[in-house]
Amino acid sequence: MNKLLKLSSFALAVVLLAGCGMGRGPQGDLVGAEDRPEYNPQEVPYGMVACPGGTFHMGQADQDIAASMANLNKQVTIGGFYMDETEITNNEYRQFINVMMEDSLDVLGEEYVMSDLYPDTTVWVKDYTYHMGDPLMEYYFSHPAFDDYPVVGVDWFAAKYFSEWRTKHKNQANAESGRAPMPQFRLPSEAEWEYAARGGRDMAVYPWGGPYLRNAKGCLLANFKPGRGDYYSDGFTYTAPVAQFFPNDFGLYDMAGNVAEWCEDAYSDATVPITWDLNPVYNDPNEPRKVVRGGSWKDIAYFLETGTRNFEFQDSARSYIGFRNAMIYLGRSSGREF
């Protein structure tokens, strides 16, 4: 009886020690580092939609009217990522500017903030000859009537700085709540942008899939210049508030028209043949031309095509160029995670 009692006491001690973490703890075993931040499946960032990974044909899906041989067609694979549902709006960019003015003037200096980060509202006058752009120069960024319109007058460098600030802003909040940091907000690569614009419709001419610019009711499907001297047939003389037209199959708005959008890549005529066929991106710090995609309110339909390539100089701000952010998806992307 005493022997049975001793065995029972020993078994109870083992259970208690195991329950206190002393039975299976890191005693020479490979159990991984402790005290790691909490991480659940990656959350969909606010204002973004998922673009599941896949394979598509990158390049012109229709006749290249420029006949420049700069837009070859190649099949590439893109990993899963998130992209802003709409272009960055005036009010979203204003949040960034307000933080810069309140917290960063001592570090950056007011001159840098106002000349390099604040939208250049004079573009409404400088971009066009003999054009009454003064009202837009005065009101487009400052007046609440334009809060939901895409920000313009922002060069490539300012768009990059905004992306860095947005990352720090989000991850500071994550750190305070004990959550793992999010990946970086950034400009999309040209390949990501085109893949997202197609919305899963490989070889589609426009983001809505079809080769036509109007729907069955005769309504134009984007904000652009449909005819010589005609800027208003789509319902807007200049830019439109974001998300006024139907989204593509990924749920992304204004991937054609409204404002063209900065991409991460430097521009080269040979980008398609020289880049890899898995998540391609062309980086060249010595190339001042950066890729611009999507066409704008002032462009003809050719520039709205998903495969049409264009560029602008990285330090040039225009009244027809804005941007949106992308973020990588961490982990295997089968599409079911989204």
Side-chain angles (χ1 to χ4, degrees):
M1 185 71 179
N2 290 336
K3 185 177 180 180
L4 181 61
L5 181 61
K6 288 180 180 179
L7 288 173
S8 299
S9 299
F10 177 75
L12 179 61
V14 170
V15 171
L16 290 173
L17 287 173
C20 294
M22 298 180 65
R24 296 184 299 169
Q27 298 176 357
D29 297 322
L30 187 65
V31 296
E34 297 179 337
D35 300 324
R36 297 289 291 154
E38 178 186 352
Y39 184 76
N40 296 315
Q42 186 172 342
E43 64 179 284
V44 180
Y46 180 78
M48 287 187 154
V49 298
C51 301
T55 300
F56 80 112
H57 289 83
M58 182 177 179
Q60 196 70 31
D62 201 355
Q63 180 183 9
D64 184 356
I65 61 172
S68 62
M69 300 300 291
N71 209 357
L72 306 176
N73 191 284
K74 180 172 74 174
Q75 181 168 276
V76 301
T77 295
I78 301 295
F81 63 100
Y82 298 104
M83 181 173 273
D84 278 327
E85 185 178 32
T86 69
E87 295 139 343
I88 297 298
T89 65
N90 281 322
N91 208 32
E92 290 171 335
Y93 197 82
R94 186 178 294 106
Q95 179 183 355
F96 160 64
I97 290 295
N98 288 345
V99 173
M100 295 297 103
M101 296 295 289
E102 293 171 4
D103 301 336
S104 302
L105 283 187
D106 292 342
V107 177
L108 300 176
E110 185 173 359
E111 181 179 355
Y112 175 78
V113 173
M114 295 305 297
S115 62
D116 291 77
L117 301 180
Y118 196 91
D120 181 4
T121 59
T122 65
V123 294
W124 293 106
V125 175
K126 294 188 300 185
D127 282 351
Y128 314 104
T129 304
Y130 301 118
H131 163 252
M132 192 179 68
D134 291 56
L136 288 169
M137 179 178 66
E138 182 176 357
Y139 298 118
Y140 187 79
F141 185 69
S142 63
H143 199 281
F146 291 100
D147 276 358
D148 293 330
Y149 285 66
V151 67
V152 297
V154 174
D155 66 20
W156 185 79
F157 292 112
K160 296 265 289 181
Y161 201 102
F162 172 93
S163 306
E164 294 173 7
W165 165 82
R166 187 179 179 185
T167 302
K168 294 176 182 177
H169 181 67
K170 176 60 177 174
N171 283 336
Q172 181 179 358
N174 277 19
E176 291 172 354
S177 61
R179 292 178 294 172
M182 297 283 283
Q184 292 183 346
F185 293 98
R186 54 180 173 79
L187 293 179
S189 69
E190 181 180 13
E192 286 176 329
W193 193 98
E194 183 174 329
Y195 177 75
R198 294 186 185 280
R201 295 175 180 261
D202 195 21
M203 302 299 292
V205 179
Y206 298 107
W208 46 86
Y212 304 110
L213 295 163
R214 297 177 183 269
N215 62 18
K217 296 182 178 181
C219 302
L220 288 167
L221 295 169
N223 179 18
F224 69 110
K225 182 182 179 180
R228 186 183 297 273
D230 178 9
Y231 297 87
Y232 193 70
S233 289
D234 52 54
F236 301 95
T237 307
Y238 294 96
T239 57
V242 297
Q244 295 298 298
F245 298 87
F246 291 111
N248 71 0
D249 288 355
F250 281 169
L252 297 165
Y253 293 89
D254 301 318
M255 295 301 286
N258 212 13
V259 294
E261 300 173 15
W262 290 112
C263 293
E264 178 69 29
D265 303 53
Y267 180 83
S268 169
D269 288 343
T271 293
V272 173
I274 67 176
T275 53
W276 201 29
D277 55 3
L278 172 60
N279 287 327
V281 61
Y282 181 68
N283 293 316
D284 183 356
N286 298 316
E287 174 55 71
R289 299 175 299 171
K290 302 303 181 186
V291 172
V292 172
R293 284 301 204 109
S296 75
W297 58 270
K298 72 163 192 61
D299 292 318
I300 61 173
Y302 169 72
F303 293 99
L304 273 62
E305 295 184 12
T306 52
T308 299
R309 307 182 66 227
N310 206 348
F311 69 86
E312 183 54 85
F313 288 91
Q314 59 192 7
D315 59 355
S316 296
R318 298 295 185 187
S319 62
Y320 47 85
I321 298 178
F323 70 100
R324 72 178 82 204
N325 282 149
M327 175 190 287
I328 191 173
Y329 173 76
L330 299 179
R332 180 178 179 271
S333 170
S334 66
R336 292 189 296 271
E337 305 93 341
F338 299 122

